[in-house]
Amino acid sequence: MTGPFLSLAQIRNRLILTARTILRDHRTGPDDRCRVCRIQHCRVATAARNVIDAAELASRTGDDDGGRSG
């Protein structure tokens, strides 16, 4: 459960944990298809990878406040 009392870094960390859980569930099987969706190019796994990439990019650039700093 998230609330207004969480920092942006905490919210980012929770998003990363959720995305990792999704990737664990939607990993490819021996037939190169998603184990949940049963398709080769799972959009859910792609979205989870994009969330992780965006969070890591924000972490590296120090953009924890969404670019709102002045």
Side-chain angles (χ1 to χ4, degrees), residues 13-52:
N13 290 339
R14 287 183 184 204
L15 284 171
I16 291 171
L17 287 174
T18 302
R20 287 180 181 166
T21 301
I22 290 169
L23 284 175
R24 225 179 352 262
D25 292 341
H26 287 262
R27 67 182 181 266
T28 56
D31 58 353
D32 288 332
R33 296 190 308 176
C34 173
R35 294 175 187 227
V36 175
C37 302
R38 303 303 301 156
I39 58 175
Q40 280 191 334
H41 302 288
C42 176
R43 288 186 236 160
V44 176
T46 301
R49 281 188 213 97
N50 290 343
V51 167
I52 291 172

